[in-house]
Amino acid sequence: MKRQDIQCDSQGQLRHFLTIEGHKRETLTQILDTAENFVTVGNQPVKKVPLLRGKTIVNLFFESSTRTRTTFELAAKRLSADVLNININTSSTSKGESLLDMLHNLEAMHCDMFVVRHEQSGAAHFIAQHVAPHISIINAGDGRHAHPTQAMLDVFTIRKHKPDFTALRVAIVGDLMHSRVARSQIHALNTLGVPEIRAIGPCTLIPPYLQQMGVHIYNDVREGLKDVDVVIMLRLQRERMDGALLPSELEYFQTYGLTQEKLALAKPDAIVMHPGPINRGVEIESSVADGPQSVILEQVSNGIAVRMAIMSMVLGRKPSGEEGEA
């Protein structure tokens, strides 16, 4: 079975959201359009809509996370779902219970969705293949493989500032070797019709398969940033690096860190993004991270609306535009 087949039911509706790969442009656009309906929910006196009232969503984070787990939890609560956060370190898996036994016990509690983050690539697919038919899975990041909701909130943020994807030149800078975010971003940007995607970084952090994805490779950051519309900086993922791939963080910053001087090579209205958490003085200098071209905090806010959209679509309920307060 192809991986993308498991994500949709026989009518083509989202059942799981595991990866960007295999989705058509229409599906991604539908997610972005649906998210637009949820952007203002956070500004309401009562920050809720009743779309998922009666549903139970379980956050299963086998990797530590603050921002991603919080935005998933907020998104579920703003849809009026009941939310359980399972502390994996104190769960029964620490007593020897298998992952599948734990999942089957949660199924028996009549849960409706698992949001899964795991350090192993393919974990979300594995779980999706073994849960009961009424359970939906959303991948909140698996190993080096995919982080599809992050990619969708990134392209949502880009569309807010640059509505025409077919006229964009996007640069992704840094540790693409270990980044599940970058893989998902590239799939999303390609699917939405972005004509030029650039990967910028040292040879040790640029995987060779990117060229097969239509990405242009640059080892010279100044050459790569020329006339781009969007600059996406990536975190150095030291926890995933085997061996010495970099001489030092100081030298990395001097060569690839985004400074005002380097950003000036991009178009004057270029936006600066970072999926976080950012390392100031390593990947980006503070004057850029907090500067007028930065949309980093917008990405965080947009993450709630985009995750609300995906959750509502996966559970088969779309906003009518007339949502009432719960």
Side-chain angles (χ1 to χ4, degrees):
M1 179 181 290
K2 294 180 180 178
R3 281 188 166 184
Q4 59 265 35
D5 294 338
I6 197 173
Q7 299 195 85
C8 297
D9 61 19
S10 58
Q11 283 74 47
Q13 299 300 309
L14 280 180
R15 178 166 174 258
H16 307 293
F17 195 64
L18 308 174
T19 179
I20 300 292
E21 295 173 75
H23 285 303
K24 297 178 180 178
R25 183 183 303 188
E26 290 76 12
T27 302
L28 301 191
T29 301
Q30 184 184 6
I31 291 172
L32 301 180
D33 292 343
T34 304
E36 293 284 0
N37 292 289
F38 294 123
V39 168
T40 59
V41 172
N43 299 325
Q44 297 176 178
V46 178
K47 300 177 178 59
K48 285 193 175 185
V49 294
L51 283 173
L52 297 187
R53 179 183 288 157
K55 300 291 185 182
T56 301
I57 296 174
V58 181
N59 286 327
L60 290 171
F61 276 59
F62 296 84
E63 269 190 342
S64 60
S65 167
T66 301
R67 180 180 44 261
T68 300
R69 196 187 72 172
T70 301
T71 54
F72 266 112
E73 183 174 353
L74 273 176
K77 288 181 174 177
R78 288 183 181 174
L79 290 166
S80 301
D82 296 315
V83 182
L84 298 176
N85 292 306
I86 304 297
N87 187 339
I88 299 300
N89 293 327
T90 58
S91 73
S92 293
T93 56
S94 65
K95 302 175 183 175
E97 184 182 46
S98 74
L99 171 62
L100 289 180
D101 281 339
M102 183 185 74
L103 295 175
H104 293 326
N105 276 285
L106 291 170
E107 289 173 6
M109 300 176 196
H110 304 289
C111 299
D112 299 286
M113 174 185 286
F114 298 153
V115 177
V116 178
R117 168 171 284 202
H118 202 285
E119 67 274 14
Q120 296 296 324
S121 299
H125 280 85
F126 175 81
I127 292 171
Q129 288 167 335
H130 289 85
V131 293
H134 69 279
I135 302 285
S136 292
I137 306 298
I138 293 183
N139 183 5
D142 62 329
R144 299 184 188 182
H145 172 237
H147 198 346
T149 62
Q150 177 70 45
M152 290 308 302
L153 76 87
D154 291 336
V155 294
F156 182 81
T157 304
I158 292 173
R159 193 174 77 162
K160 285 286 191 184
H161 293 267
K162 313 281 182 183
D164 184 4
F165 285 113
T166 66
L168 294 184
R169 187 176 290 135
V170 177
I172 305 175
V173 186
D175 183 5
L176 285 89
M177 177 68 78
H178 305 93
S179 176
R180 57 195 174 202
V181 173
R183 280 176 50 86
S184 292
Q185 287 170 339
I186 291 167
H187 282 299
L189 293 168
N190 275 331
T191 302
L192 292 168
V194 172
E196 185 172 349
I197 305 170
R198 300 178 179 180
I200 305 172
C203 295
T204 51
L205 297 182
I206 301 290
Y209 63 76
L210 290 184
Q211 288 183 316
Q212 299 172 11
M213 299 173 72
V215 176
H216 303 269
I217 308 297
Y218 290 81
N219 299 124
D220 184 330
V221 67
R222 289 176 172 78
E223 188 67 26
L225 288 175
K226 284 181 181 175
D227 299 322
V228 299
D229 302 280
V230 178
V231 183
I232 303 175
M233 302 303 296
L234 298 175
R235 183 174 67 87
L236 279 182
Q237 302 201 31
R238 289 286 192 187
E239 72 277 14
R240 299 184 190 280
M241 293 183 185
D242 296 322
L245 299 179
L246 296 171
S248 70
E249 290 186 347
L250 176 60
E251 186 171 331
Y252 177 83
F253 175 70
Q254 291 173 340
T255 307
Y256 292 100
L258 190 62
T259 61
Q260 294 284 4
E261 177 258 336
K262 294 184 186 117
L263 180 59
L265 297 166
K267 289 184 178 177
D269 63 345
I271 59 173
V272 175
M273 308 176 70
H274 194 305
I278 63 174
N279 292 312
R280 295 171 185 262
V282 178
E283 299 128 16
I284 188 169
E285 69 178 10
S286 288
S287 64
V288 175
D290 302 327
Q293 291 173 264
S294 171
V295 296
I296 294 172
L297 291 181
E298 285 183 45
Q299 291 174 262
V300 179
S301 298
N302 291 336
I304 299 172
V306 169
R307 286 167 176 140
M308 289 173 73
I310 294 169
M311 285 177 168
S312 64
M313 289 173 63
V314 166
L315 291 181
R317 306 182 66 174
K318 303 171 186 175
S320 64
E322 301 294 334
E323 301 91 351
E325 294 176 355

